[in-house]
Amino acid sequence: MRNIIRGLLLTPLFALVVSGCDTARQDVTLHARDAVPERLSDWHIVEAIDEELTLNRGVTPYDLNTALFTDYAHKLRTVWMPPGTSAVYGEERFDYPVGTVLTKTFYYPKGPDGTVLRTDDYRRDYVEGKVGEALALDRVHLVETRVLVKRADGWQALPYVWNAEQTDATLEIAGDASPMRLASDGGASQPFTYVVPDANQCAGCHADNHTQKAIAPLGPRARHLNKDYAYASGAQNQLLHWQQIGYLSGLPAFEAIPRNADFADADLPLEMRARAYLDINCGHCHNPAGAADTSGLMLHHSEQDRRRLGLCKPPVAAGTGSGDRRFAIVPGHPEDSILTFRVESTDPGAMMPELGRSLVHEEGVALLREWIAAMPGNCS
């Protein structure tokens, strides 16, 4: 159902018509590393215009098979590349051209009495007749837009926080924190603090190679992008679409392209869904070159060793992070597994992931519990 809803997001073949005033809109502006603007609007990528958050010409939205959980926030992701350039396909990561700008806008549908809504339904977020093209600012609350820019010497991460008037976002290198109340469809609500990471924390998560410490995009990779998207010209695989509009070269035979599962698609095998969830939420640190490499727990998509994946694996260091449990994964027993303890925790000293959430992702926890409960064997 989630993919069907997201499949409603529409965009023209190359350029998005964003408003009746589009002819007067300034083109995307690429700023130098040492002269980044204080205002998001100065990039002219996504802007608040006439009560709409709109995408500029040549700015293309995209979606992921399974996305990183961020306190139930909705996300609008975009990619822009300088005219005449394209990314070069790689199975693990693309070689993006200098000047590529990726953005991710985090927002919530507005709820009653100043709350924000917990919902998987994206349809009400958009302006009538502009699904996928323009967010309706009278229906959504914008929180932050993260900008990732490819420079000649590597990627630069920049967090922008939206103002109370929802007219623009300001660069906040030190991050930000906003108290909110999250309301469910049933009417119950809970308080939480939405935390915008500082620039160093952005760089820390995006440096999935801890030795090189170079940051890179995590979401727009082949296995995450390999899915259909309902463009205005018709449904099309996103990778084929990028190739068609000139944003991707070197695409191999389609059957050779990896594809992660949608963790919420109950029609897919349980193992595929759980592994996809762990890959996007944990694999950027828990991989052989990542920041958590010394833990010995490898949760990236290509790990095949069940012990390294956590099966009957004792922790390298015990303490509050283990919850007094003996093994990362105890087959058949999620209640005895460190993995479930950490994803269920909101204690900063124990929770995983360490950044990016204040709430427990109930659907993700339920999936991991189901996966572990279905595993045969024991740790005796």
Side-chain angles (χ1 to χ4, degrees), residues 51-53 124-128 134-140:
E51 297 300 315
E52 302 175 5
L53 184 71
R124 70 182 298 275
D125 302 349
Y126 290 91
V127 176
E128 299 298 332
L135 290 174
L137 296 183
D138 63 336
R139 297 186 212 140
V140 304

Side-chain angles (χ1 to χ4, degrees), residues 206-281:
H206 279 270
D208 58 351
N209 187 311
H210 192 56
T211 301
Q212 297 177 357
K213 298 189 183 302
I215 69 174
L218 299 176
R221 296 180 177 183
R223 64 186 183 275
H224 303 309
L225 292 172
N226 188 4
K227 61 172 289 187
D228 285 347
Y229 196 96
Y231 298 98
S233 55
Q236 187 179 23
N237 180 275
Q238 291 185 123
L239 297 173
L240 295 177
H241 181 74
W242 283 30
Q243 176 181 252
Q244 187 171 339
I245 65 175
Y247 273 8
L248 185 61
S249 62
L251 195 65
F254 194 73
E255 59 271 14
I257 303 173
R259 180 173 186 166
N260 265 16
D262 174 2
F263 89 99
D265 187 348
D267 291 331
L268 295 177
L270 182 58
E271 171 89 3
M272 289 177 58
R273 296 164 56 207
R275 291 298 305 274
Y277 185 85
L278 291 172
D279 180 33
I280 194 67
N281 283 280

